[in-house]
Amino acid sequence: QVRLLESGGGDVQAGGSLRLSCAASGYDFRDGCMAWFRQAPGKQRDGVAAIFNEVGTTYYADSVKGRFTISQDDAKITVYLQMNSLKPEDTGVYYCAARWYCGRVGNWSANSAYIHWGQGTQVTVSS
């Protein structure tokens, strides 16, 4: 059974940085994709960034382009989200998501595109 475990969340002031990590338990996603989503209080869960290993492509939500960077370790087990220049609107619970064989995924930011999910880590950005 695949388990995704996020870490690295916390409280930070606007303009600060955080680095989130998500480790898959004993599985690698060389033939898959991994993504970060976030859910602000009272709002739906939205895609933040994704990395598709089969095609070597990364995707970002417009709201985080230029500030966030998604990356993976060489073993394709852990995915990271480096978040810089944080804003209060970045506040939310951040979830890691993954699946294998992403060739038919039409929308990288759709919740339904991913099969495996972590429990989430809270990020709070104060002004």
Short mmCIF file of all heavy atoms in Angstrom, two decimals, residues 22-54:
data_model
loop_
_atom_site.label_atom_id
_atom_site.label_comp_id
_atom_site.label_asym_id
_atom_site.label_seq_id
_atom_site.Cartn_x
_atom_site.Cartn_y
_atom_site.Cartn_z
N CYS A 22 7.58 15.37 0.73
CA CYS A 22 6.60 14.28 0.70
C CYS A 22 7.34 13.02 0.31
O CYS A 22 7.87 12.94 -0.80
CB CYS A 22 5.49 14.58 -0.28
SG CYS A 22 4.40 13.18 -0.60
N ALA A 23 7.34 12.06 1.21
CA ALA A 23 8.05 10.81 0.96
C ALA A 23 7.06 9.68 0.75
O ALA A 23 6.13 9.49 1.53
CB ALA A 23 8.97 10.48 2.14
N ALA A 24 7.28 8.93 -0.32
CA ALA A 24 6.45 7.75 -0.59
C ALA A 24 7.07 6.55 0.10
O ALA A 24 8.29 6.36 0.07
CB ALA A 24 6.37 7.50 -2.10
N SER A 25 6.24 5.74 0.73
CA SER A 25 6.73 4.63 1.53
C SER A 25 7.13 3.45 0.66
O SER A 25 6.29 2.63 0.30
CB SER A 25 5.67 4.19 2.53
OG SER A 25 4.49 3.83 1.83
N GLY A 26 8.43 3.37 0.34
CA GLY A 26 8.92 2.19 -0.33
C GLY A 26 8.60 2.08 -1.80
O GLY A 26 8.87 1.06 -2.42
N TYR A 27 8.02 3.11 -2.39
CA TYR A 27 7.71 3.08 -3.80
C TYR A 27 8.36 4.28 -4.48
O TYR A 27 8.52 5.33 -3.87
CB TYR A 27 6.19 3.16 -4.03
CG TYR A 27 5.44 1.96 -3.52
CD1 TYR A 27 5.01 1.91 -2.20
CD2 TYR A 27 5.16 0.89 -4.34
CE1 TYR A 27 4.31 0.82 -1.72
CE2 TYR A 27 4.45 -0.21 -3.88
CZ TYR A 27 4.04 -0.24 -2.56
OH TYR A 27 3.35 -1.33 -2.09
N ASP A 28 8.70 4.11 -5.74
CA ASP A 28 9.17 5.27 -6.47
C ASP A 28 8.19 5.57 -7.60
O ASP A 28 7.41 4.71 -8.00
CB ASP A 28 10.58 5.05 -7.03
CG ASP A 28 10.62 4.04 -8.16
OD1 ASP A 28 10.18 4.39 -9.29
OD2 ASP A 28 11.07 2.91 -7.92
N PHE A 29 8.24 6.78 -8.07
CA PHE A 29 7.31 7.22 -9.12
C PHE A 29 8.07 7.63 -10.38
O PHE A 29 7.73 8.64 -11.01
CB PHE A 29 6.43 8.35 -8.58
CG PHE A 29 5.39 7.86 -7.62
CD1 PHE A 29 5.67 7.77 -6.26
CD2 PHE A 29 4.16 7.44 -8.07
CE1 PHE A 29 4.72 7.28 -5.37
CE2 PHE A 29 3.21 6.95 -7.19
CZ PHE A 29 3.50 6.87 -5.84
N ARG A 30 9.08 6.83 -10.73
CA ARG A 30 9.80 7.07 -11.98
C ARG A 30 8.85 7.02 -13.17
O ARG A 30 9.02 7.73 -14.15
CB ARG A 30 10.90 6.05 -12.16
CG ARG A 30 11.97 6.11 -11.09
CD ARG A 30 13.02 5.04 -11.32
NE ARG A 30 13.95 5.00 -10.19
CZ ARG A 30 15.00 5.78 -10.07
NH1 ARG A 30 15.28 6.67 -11.00
NH2 ARG A 30 15.80 5.67 -9.02
N ASP A 31 7.88 6.15 -13.10
CA ASP A 31 6.89 6.01 -14.17
C ASP A 31 5.58 6.65 -13.77
O ASP A 31 4.50 6.11 -14.01
CB ASP A 31 6.67 4.53 -14.49
CG ASP A 31 7.92 3.87 -15.01
OD1 ASP A 31 8.62 4.50 -15.82
OD2 ASP A 31 8.19 2.72 -14.60
N GLY A 32 5.67 7.80 -13.15
CA GLY A 32 4.45 8.44 -12.70
C GLY A 32 4.60 9.93 -12.51
O GLY A 32 5.51 10.54 -13.08
N CYS A 33 3.72 10.48 -11.72
CA CYS A 33 3.74 11.90 -11.45
C CYS A 33 3.39 12.17 -9.98
O CYS A 33 2.69 11.37 -9.36
CB CYS A 33 2.76 12.65 -12.36
SG CYS A 33 1.11 11.94 -12.43
N MET A 34 3.90 13.24 -9.48
CA MET A 34 3.62 13.65 -8.11
C MET A 34 3.25 15.13 -8.12
O MET A 34 3.74 15.88 -8.96
CB MET A 34 4.83 13.41 -7.21
CG MET A 34 5.26 11.95 -7.15
SD MET A 34 6.59 11.61 -5.98
CE MET A 34 5.66 11.56 -4.43
N ALA A 35 2.40 15.51 -7.20
CA ALA A 35 1.88 16.87 -7.22
C ALA A 35 1.63 17.38 -5.80
O ALA A 35 1.56 16.60 -4.85
CB ALA A 35 0.57 16.93 -8.01
N TRP A 36 1.51 18.68 -5.70
CA TRP A 36 1.12 19.34 -4.47
C TRP A 36 -0.20 20.08 -4.71
O TRP A 36 -0.35 20.77 -5.72
CB TRP A 36 2.18 20.34 -4.02
CG TRP A 36 3.41 19.70 -3.48
CD1 TRP A 36 4.57 19.44 -4.15
CD2 TRP A 36 3.61 19.23 -2.15
NE1 TRP A 36 5.47 18.84 -3.31
CE2 TRP A 36 4.91 18.70 -2.08
CE3 TRP A 36 2.82 19.20 -1.00
CZ2 TRP A 36 5.44 18.16 -0.90
CZ3 TRP A 36 3.34 18.67 0.17
CH2 TRP A 36 4.63 18.15 0.21
N PHE A 37 -1.09 19.92 -3.75
CA PHE A 37 -2.35 20.64 -3.74
C PHE A 37 -2.44 21.41 -2.43
O PHE A 37 -1.74 21.10 -1.47
CB PHE A 37 -3.53 19.65 -3.82
CG PHE A 37 -3.76 19.08 -5.18
CD1 PHE A 37 -2.88 18.15 -5.72
CD2 PHE A 37 -4.85 19.47 -5.94
CE1 PHE A 37 -3.08 17.61 -6.99
CE2 PHE A 37 -5.07 18.93 -7.21
CZ PHE A 37 -4.18 18.01 -7.72
N ARG A 38 -3.31 22.39 -2.40
CA ARG A 38 -3.56 23.07 -1.14
C ARG A 38 -5.04 23.39 -1.01
O ARG A 38 -5.74 23.59 -2.00
CB ARG A 38 -2.73 24.35 -1.00
CG ARG A 38 -3.17 25.50 -1.88
CD ARG A 38 -2.22 26.67 -1.72
NE ARG A 38 -2.55 27.75 -2.65
CZ ARG A 38 -1.71 28.73 -2.96
NH1 ARG A 38 -0.50 28.77 -2.40
NH2 ARG A 38 -2.08 29.67 -3.80
N GLN A 39 -5.45 23.43 0.26
CA GLN A 39 -6.84 23.75 0.55
C GLN A 39 -6.89 24.82 1.61
O GLN A 39 -6.49 24.58 2.76
CB GLN A 39 -7.59 22.51 1.01
CG GLN A 39 -9.07 22.71 1.17
CD GLN A 39 -9.81 21.40 1.31
OE1 GLN A 39 -9.26 20.39 1.71
NE2 GLN A 39 -11.10 21.40 0.95
N ALA A 40 -7.38 25.98 1.21
CA ALA A 40 -7.57 27.08 2.16
C ALA A 40 -8.88 26.86 2.92
O ALA A 40 -9.77 26.16 2.42
CB ALA A 40 -7.58 28.40 1.42
N PRO A 41 -9.01 27.44 4.08
CA PRO A 41 -10.23 27.26 4.87
C PRO A 41 -11.47 27.65 4.07
O PRO A 41 -11.53 28.74 3.49
CB PRO A 41 -10.02 28.20 6.06
CG PRO A 41 -8.54 28.29 6.20
CD PRO A 41 -8.01 28.24 4.79
N GLY A 42 -12.43 26.76 4.01
CA GLY A 42 -13.69 27.03 3.33
C GLY A 42 -13.62 26.98 1.82
O GLY A 42 -14.60 27.35 1.15
N LYS A 43 -12.50 26.55 1.27
CA LYS A 43 -12.35 26.53 -0.19
C LYS A 43 -12.03 25.12 -0.67
O LYS A 43 -11.72 24.22 0.10
CB LYS A 43 -11.26 27.51 -0.62
CG LYS A 43 -11.59 28.96 -0.30
CD LYS A 43 -10.60 29.89 -0.93
CE LYS A 43 -10.99 31.35 -0.69
NZ LYS A 43 -10.04 32.30 -1.32
N GLN A 44 -12.13 24.93 -1.97
CA GLN A 44 -11.82 23.63 -2.54
C GLN A 44 -10.32 23.41 -2.58
O GLN A 44 -9.54 24.35 -2.45
CB GLN A 44 -12.40 23.53 -3.96
CG GLN A 44 -11.76 24.48 -4.96
CD GLN A 44 -12.41 24.39 -6.33
OE1 GLN A 44 -13.52 23.90 -6.49
NE2 GLN A 44 -11.71 24.85 -7.34
N ARG A 45 -9.93 22.17 -2.77
CA ARG A 45 -8.52 21.83 -2.88
C ARG A 45 -8.04 22.06 -4.31
O ARG A 45 -8.59 21.49 -5.25
CB ARG A 45 -8.32 20.36 -2.47
CG ARG A 45 -6.88 19.95 -2.36
CD ARG A 45 -6.76 18.64 -1.60
NE ARG A 45 -7.49 17.56 -2.24
CZ ARG A 45 -7.64 16.35 -1.71
NH1 ARG A 45 -7.11 16.07 -0.53
NH2 ARG A 45 -8.32 15.42 -2.35
N ASP A 46 -7.02 22.88 -4.44
CA ASP A 46 -6.52 23.29 -5.76
C ASP A 46 -5.10 22.81 -6.00
O ASP A 46 -4.29 22.73 -5.07
CB ASP A 46 -6.54 24.82 -5.89
CG ASP A 46 -7.94 25.39 -5.90
OD1 ASP A 46 -8.85 24.73 -6.43
OD2 ASP A 46 -8.12 26.50 -5.37
N GLY A 47 -4.80 22.54 -7.26
CA GLY A 47 -3.45 22.14 -7.62
C GLY A 47 -2.48 23.30 -7.53
O GLY A 47 -2.79 24.41 -7.93
N VAL A 48 -1.31 23.03 -6.98
CA VAL A 48 -0.27 24.05 -6.84
C VAL A 48 0.86 23.80 -7.82
O VAL A 48 1.31 24.71 -8.51
CB VAL A 48 0.28 24.06 -5.39
CG1 VAL A 48 1.46 25.02 -5.27
CG2 VAL A 48 -0.82 24.42 -4.40
N ALA A 49 1.34 22.57 -7.87
CA ALA A 49 2.45 22.23 -8.76
C ALA A 49 2.47 20.72 -8.96
O ALA A 49 1.99 19.96 -8.12
CB ALA A 49 3.78 22.70 -8.19
N ALA A 50 3.04 20.30 -10.07
CA ALA A 50 3.15 18.87 -10.35
C ALA A 50 4.41 18.60 -11.16
O ALA A 50 4.91 19.48 -11.87
CB ALA A 50 1.92 18.37 -11.12
N ILE A 51 4.90 17.37 -11.04
CA ILE A 51 6.05 16.95 -11.82
C ILE A 51 5.71 15.61 -12.46
O ILE A 51 5.32 14.67 -11.77
CB ILE A 51 7.32 16.90 -10.94
CG1 ILE A 51 8.54 16.58 -11.77
CG2 ILE A 51 7.17 15.93 -9.77
CD1 ILE A 51 9.85 16.88 -11.03
N PHE A 52 5.82 15.56 -13.77
CA PHE A 52 5.49 14.37 -14.54
C PHE A 52 6.80 13.74 -15.02
O PHE A 52 7.43 14.23 -15.95
CB PHE A 52 4.60 14.73 -15.73
CG PHE A 52 3.16 14.89 -15.39
CD1 PHE A 52 2.75 15.65 -14.31
CD2 PHE A 52 2.19 14.26 -16.14
CE1 PHE A 52 1.42 15.78 -13.98
CE2 PHE A 52 0.84 14.39 -15.84
CZ PHE A 52 0.46 15.15 -14.75
N ASN A 53 7.20 12.66 -14.39
CA ASN A 53 8.51 12.08 -14.67
C ASN A 53 8.58 11.43 -16.04
O ASN A 53 9.65 11.41 -16.66
CB ASN A 53 8.86 11.05 -13.60
CG ASN A 53 9.16 11.71 -12.28
OD1 ASN A 53 9.86 12.72 -12.24
ND2 ASN A 53 8.61 11.18 -11.21
N GLU A 54 7.49 10.90 -16.53
CA GLU A 54 7.51 10.22 -17.82
C GLU A 54 7.88 11.16 -18.96
O GLU A 54 8.44 10.74 -19.97
CB GLU A 54 6.17 9.56 -18.10
CG GLU A 54 5.86 8.41 -17.13
CD GLU A 54 4.40 8.07 -17.11
OE1 GLU A 54 3.61 8.87 -16.56
OE2 GLU A 54 4.03 7.01 -17.64
#
